[in-house]
Amino acid sequence: MTTPTAPLTTTTARLAKLVGDVRETVGRGLPPDTTAYLVGERLAAHLGAPDLLTDAQREGDPERYRQHILHAESDGSFSVVALVWMPGQQTSVHDHVSWCVTGVHQGTESERRYRLVPDGMTARLVATEDVVNHQGDVCGFAPPGDIHRVRNACSDVAISIHIYGADVSRLGSSVRRVYDLPADAL
């Protein structure tokens, strides 16, 4: 699904500021959906800034999108990750272990959102929305209801910043479950 993560790397001053802002917000102990909304407000101010990521944190992989763990809070309460996408790279259909906020730092990402519908003894996915996110766009969500697929929708490298309410450095990924079910089109 994704290129294995490199160990935690150098932190820029801007990234340190973002981490401090997220730490303060998460420390308030609010419900997951409220936390995601407020973390998204904090992230938005940093998207597109040339001093957010180092050159190494902007490196992609020609085979699959690449995850760079930028920060994992020592108590496991949140992680900040950069995902670097070459043109056409995409995730599988999946959901998450915790609340999540994503913001497009560079390029454009396309997202298809789904809901899981019982279908007799099995289930199927129904596409509910197609969203195109451009540089500076932020979205946040909390399970349940976070099933989606994301892809690089532009002809150049896309980079998105993801903040999860979990320790991705320990878990390896924010993905809870991958769905290999029939999916209806919009």
Side-chain angles (χ1 to χ4, degrees):
M1 189 165 169
T2 180
T3 299
T5 303
L8 298 177
T9 56
T10 305
T11 298
T12 66
R14 182 177 286 275
L15 180 59
K17 169 75 170 117
L18 173 60
V19 167
D21 290 346
V22 173
R23 182 179 294 125
E24 184 275 324
T25 302
V26 170
R28 295 170 62 186
L30 298 170
D33 56 340
T34 304
T35 298
Y37 176 81
L38 294 173
V39 167
E41 287 185 333
R42 300 296 187 109
L43 174 60
H46 300 280
L47 295 173
D51 59 341
L52 180 62
L53 302 174
T54 66
D55 289 344
Q57 294 163 341
R58 300 171 65 83
E59 290 180 7
D61 180 317
E63 299 299 316
R64 60 188 66 84
Y65 69 94
R66 184 164 186 194
Q67 172 180 273
H68 296 276
I69 297 177
L70 306 175
H71 176 81
E73 191 70 352
S74 61
D75 66 1
S77 60
F78 71 93
S79 301
V80 181
V81 174
L83 294 183
V84 181
W85 314 74
M86 304 308 281
Q89 292 178 339
Q90 69 179 2
T91 68
S92 57
V93 177
H94 66 281
D95 62 8
H96 297 271
V97 298
S98 69
W99 60 264
C100 176
V101 173
T102 65
V104 178
H105 182 61
Q106 173 184 314
T108 304
E109 292 179 355
S110 176
E111 177 186 15
R112 175 164 279 183
R113 298 174 183 170
Y114 298 90
R115 68 183 165 88
L116 191 60
V117 177
D119 189 9
M121 297 296 289
T122 62
R124 64 184 168 85
L125 294 170
V126 175
T128 59
E129 186 176 19
D130 283 324
V131 178
V132 177
N133 297 302
H134 302 278
Q135 181 179 332
D137 289 345
V138 175
C139 64
F141 50 81
D146 62 322
I147 303 170
H148 67 162
R149 167 181 276 165
V150 181
R151 72 178 178 84
N152 178 346
C154 63
S155 59
D156 203 356
V157 174
I159 301 173
S160 50
I161 307 299
H162 298 237
I163 305 174
Y164 303 108
D167 185 348
V168 174
S169 69
R170 183 179 60 79
L171 298 174
S173 170
S174 69
V175 173
R176 176 176 62 159
R177 172 174 44 215
V178 172
Y179 292 86
D180 187 21
L181 296 171
D184 293 341
L186 272 176

